[in-house]
Amino acid sequence: ITYIYWASLYLHLFGAVAWLGGILFLTGVARPIFEYFGENAFDIQHRIKVRFLGFTWMLLWTVVTTGVIVLLWSTRFLFFDFSSLWLVLAHVKILLFFILAGLSLMIRSSYKEIENARSEKEGSEDLSPREIILWRISMIEQLEV
């Protein structure tokens, strides 16, 4: 039974490091490269982010599952107990996790919107995601008028 705890702990750490490392790579390395190349790299950027989202959700569920196992096995953790620095940091970590998970969910839904718009517009396979977004915005503006 102790092996389950240690395996969960190591999987939790691996999942968190890989998840945050991927996010830091996209924002710290890939984003400046895409900004340098401008609109020419928009389609490549979209494809990389869509591929990374599947990996992100796999890591996210790994972190959630193993985090719950580690919390249930831990005798030191109590919810809403801020009596030590360790407990405060554990609560901050849980709060940051929920914020990052919410942001990932919003990003995922925006990419689903792009795919939905692509399926609505005829012959849109040749268009970049940016052109699809601009087309979708123009369609929304026409509905408001």
Side-chain angles (χ1 to χ4, degrees), residues 19 22-24 26-27 31 42 45-57 60 98-116 129 133:
W19 182 39
I23 290 172
L24 290 175
L26 282 178
T27 57
R31 185 176 177 194
F42 192 81
Q45 178 183 9
H46 173 72
R47 289 181 185 175
I48 288 173
K49 287 183 178 179
V50 166
R51 292 279 310 245
F52 181 69
L53 278 175
F55 186 66
T56 299
W57 283 103
L60 189 68
F98 282 121
I99 290 170
L100 286 173
L103 289 173
S104 293
L105 187 62
M106 289 186 329
I107 290 170
R108 180 174 176 254
S109 64
S110 68
Y111 283 118
K112 282 197 177 263
E113 279 293 316
I114 290 173
E115 294 305 318
N116 290 341
I133 291 170

